[in-house]
């Protein structure tokens, strides 16, 4: 495997970095404090092709691969993890699901608008009582003539309030039976589809998280993605790719915290010399650098498998598990290196610290990733 960085990857990473420095960094704490979801920023990223990274050019996307996608998310997340999270959710989940499982009509209708951020995408799997236990979903779709009627609530949904279109997994069979769920495309404005509570979160506060509520929401059968009963299978395949993006998000947060720590350790003087010269600090930085590189290699391996159409389930789970835990550890050590200043909002590492924790929870907790990794290992 050759993981040398290609020129196109360097170019798109530079574009994302420049955009983040100019359009995101000046507003990071403002958006964090207010929990504002800055829609206009995503519209601007759409103009640069960052909202349809993996979408083929025929549908208005950038037609790039996972190495480029990972690099873009990392650059954005080094500045603001919450913007990186929303970017990842839009690309990997809603857009990615339609790209992977939509028919030609669905792709032609939705992908051009998602790729340019004319539409912001949401993706609904989790419910108030079912996270990993998706076989027991209570959001139900019942066939009624040529339509489906959806009733239930989805929770912890990125863009659940603002999203213009949602891909929603609904139970269409009996609980805890095989092939008992189906995916549907539900545009905002559909009668019976509304948003609920917006969550007040510890971190990732500029990435909107809200409920989606369905009350006798009627959609035509043409809104169905794939065959009846394929919803959960589709969702797991979508998450295989999505976990790469969360791993990249984690890595970006870790890199941001690490760079801030290195710069601070060089500048901060104690006992007449920079604290970087003290072994206690330099050893922390050495551990951080090593763990970041290890996470990077796991992500590159997952990207390589994805681009070669190999089974990526275990590789993406390993990358997501390790990178997310590294993000938390690096951010924690960064706060320690900054000392009292690291505990204040005047310095960047307290936000990296708060944002990092979500990476070990979203799109499957670390514990779920371990189950996936072990299950794949047993198959061998």
């Amino acid at each position: 495997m050759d993981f040398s960085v290609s020129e196109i990857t360097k170019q798109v990473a530079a574009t994302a970095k420049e955009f983040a420095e100019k359009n995101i960094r000046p507003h990071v704490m403002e958006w964090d404090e207010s929990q504002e979801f800055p829609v206009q920023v995503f519209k601007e990223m759409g103009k640069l092709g960052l909202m349809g990274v993996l979408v083929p050019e025929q549908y208005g996307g950038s037609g790039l691969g996972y190495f480029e996608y990972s690099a873009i998310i990392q650059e954005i997340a080094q500045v603001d993890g919450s913007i990186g999270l929303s970017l990842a959710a839009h690309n990997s989940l809603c857009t990615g699901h339609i790209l992977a499982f939509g028919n030609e009509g669905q792709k032609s209708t939705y992908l051009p608008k998602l790729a340019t951020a004319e539409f912001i995408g949401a993706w609904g799997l989790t419910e108030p009582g079912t996270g990993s236990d998706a076989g027991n979903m209570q959001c139900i779709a019942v066939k009624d003539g040529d339509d489906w009627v959806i009733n239930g609530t989805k929770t912890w949904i990125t863009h659940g309030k603002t999203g213009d279109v949602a891909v929603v997994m609904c139970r269409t069979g009996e609980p805890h039976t095989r092939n008992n769920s189906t995916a549907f495309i539900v545009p905002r404005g559909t009668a019976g589809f509304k948003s609920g509570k917006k969550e007040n979160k510890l971190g990732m506060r500029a990435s909107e998280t809200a409920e989606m509520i369905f009350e006798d929401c009627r959609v035509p059968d043409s809104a169905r993605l794939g065959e009846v009963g394929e919803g959960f299978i589709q969702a797991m395949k979508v998450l295989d790719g999505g976990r790469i993006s969360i791993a990249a998000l984690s890595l970006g947060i870790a890199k941001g915290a690490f760079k801030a720590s290195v710069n601070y350790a060089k500048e901060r003087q104690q006992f007449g010399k920079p604290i970087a010269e003290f072994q206690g600090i330099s050893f922390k930085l050495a551990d951080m650098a090593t763990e970041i590189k290890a996470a990077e290699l796991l992500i590159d391996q997952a990207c390589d498998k994805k681009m070669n159409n190999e089974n990526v389930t275990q590789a993406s789970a390993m990358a997501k598990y390790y990178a997310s835990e590294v993000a938390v550890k690096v951010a924690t050590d960064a706060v320690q290196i900054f000392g009292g200043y690291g505990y204040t909002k005047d310095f960047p590492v307290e936000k990296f610290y708060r944002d990092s924790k979500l990476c070990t929870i979203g799109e499957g907790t670390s514990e779920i990733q371990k189950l996936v990794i072990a299950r794949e290992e047993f198959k061998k």
Side-chain angles (χ1 to χ4, degrees):
M1 292 178 283
D2 179 12
F3 294 154
S4 57
V5 182
S6 70
E7 284 304 313
I8 185 65
T9 301
K10 291 178 183 177
Q11 289 171 14
V12 297
T15 297
K17 181 178 181 178
E18 181 181 1
F19 179 88
E21 292 294 339
K22 180 180 178 181
N23 299 282
I24 299 174
R25 190 177 293 281
H27 307 286
V28 168
M29 293 312 297
E30 169 195 342
W31 293 337
D32 183 74
E33 292 286 346
S34 66
Q35 290 203 89
E36 177 185 352
F37 176 57
V39 176
Q40 189 55 42
V41 167
F42 293 91
K43 302 291 186 184
E44 294 300 319
M45 286 197 287
K47 294 176 183 178
L48 291 176
L50 303 183
M51 297 293 277
V53 180
L54 303 170
V55 176
E57 292 180 23
Q58 71 184 91
Y59 299 116
S62 298
L64 298 172
Y66 269 80
F67 285 102
E68 291 77 31
Y69 182 37
S70 172
I72 289 166
I73 293 174
Q74 288 178 51
E75 292 296 342
I76 299 295
Q78 286 183 62
V79 174
D80 190 342
S82 57
I83 305 302
L85 173 61
S86 277
L87 178 70
H90 173 92
N91 274 279
S92 287
L93 301 181
C94 179
T95 305
H97 199 136
I98 295 172
L99 177 62
F101 298 104
N103 58 39
E104 188 55 39
Q106 291 165 336
K107 290 179 182 179
S108 298
T109 298
Y110 293 105
L111 290 181
K113 294 182 178 181
L114 288 164
T116 58
E118 179 181 346
F119 280 1
I120 301 295
W123 192 77
L125 177 64
T126 305
E127 299 181 2
T130 59
S132 303
D133 184 19
N136 192 35
M137 287 188 293
Q138 299 303 303
C139 185
I140 298 171
V142 177
K143 189 76 182 297
D144 183 22
D146 293 330
D147 296 337
W148 292 85
V149 180
I150 303 173
N151 280 285
T153 300
K154 295 293 181 179
T155 193
W156 309 115
I157 307 304
T158 306
H159 315 144
K161 187 180 182 71
T162 301
D164 300 285
V165 61
V167 172
V168 185
M169 270 54 67
C170 304
R171 183 160 58 79
T172 49
E174 294 300 314
H176 293 301
T177 59
R178 292 179 62 84
N179 303 324
N180 72 345
S181 65
T182 304
F184 298 90
I185 302 172
V186 187
R188 183 72 63 179
T190 302
F193 174 25
K194 64 180 181 180
S195 59
K197 176 188 176 184
K198 179 179 176 179
E199 303 297 340
N200 185 7
K201 307 194 298 288
L202 169 72
M204 302 291 196
R205 289 168 60 83
S207 177
E208 178 187 278
T209 306
E211 292 178 322
M212 296 192 302
I213 300 170
F214 302 89
E215 296 175 345
D216 293 328
C217 178
R218 185 175 292 269
V219 297
D221 190 56
S222 60
R224 174 170 46 82
L225 278 159
E227 298 300 320
V228 174
E230 290 183 348
F232 183 72
I233 296 170
Q234 292 176 6
M236 292 303 100
K237 291 180 179 177
V238 168
L239 286 173
D240 277 349
R243 285 166 180 159
I244 296 175
S245 69
I246 300 301
L249 173 69
S250 305
L251 182 58
I253 290 171
K255 285 182 174 180
F258 176 67
K259 288 178 181 178
S261 298
V262 169
N263 291 335
Y264 182 79
K266 289 178 179 177
E267 296 169 0
R268 173 69 167 169
Q269 296 273 333
Q270 289 288 280
F271 305 103
K273 60 183 178 180
I275 64 172
E277 295 184 17
F278 291 98
Q279 188 179 78
I281 300 299
S282 65
F283 277 18
K284 279 188 187 297
L285 293 170
D287 285 342
M288 293 158 82
T290 302
E291 289 160 353
I292 284 171
K293 178 56 68 175
E296 191 171 65
L297 289 170
L298 281 171
I299 293 167
D300 284 346
Q301 176 182 256
C303 289
D304 184 72
K305 286 181 176 293
K306 187 71 175 175
M307 293 306 297
N308 285 300
N309 295 315
E310 297 177 35
N311 185 309
V312 76
T313 299
Q314 188 182 63
S316 65
M318 284 180 170
K320 195 270 187 188
Y321 163 55
Y322 186 75
S324 64
E325 294 292 340
V326 163
V328 172
K329 183 176 184 301
V330 167
T332 301
D333 285 345
V335 171
Q336 197 71 18
I337 289 169
F338 272 73
Y341 292 113
Y343 205 65
T344 72
K345 293 182 182 294
D346 294 327
F347 289 80
V349 292
E350 71 86 29
K351 184 175 185 300
F352 287 126
Y353 179 72
R354 288 186 289 110
D355 286 349
S356 66
K357 189 56 192 172
L358 184 277
C359 297
T360 69
I361 299 170
E363 294 197 31
T365 62
S366 290
E367 290 74 20
I368 288 295
Q369 304 312 313
K370 290 180 182 181
L371 287 175
V372 172
I373 293 163
R375 183 183 64 209
E376 292 299 308
E377 199 64 35
F378 294 146
K379 287 180 182 178
K380 298 176 184 178

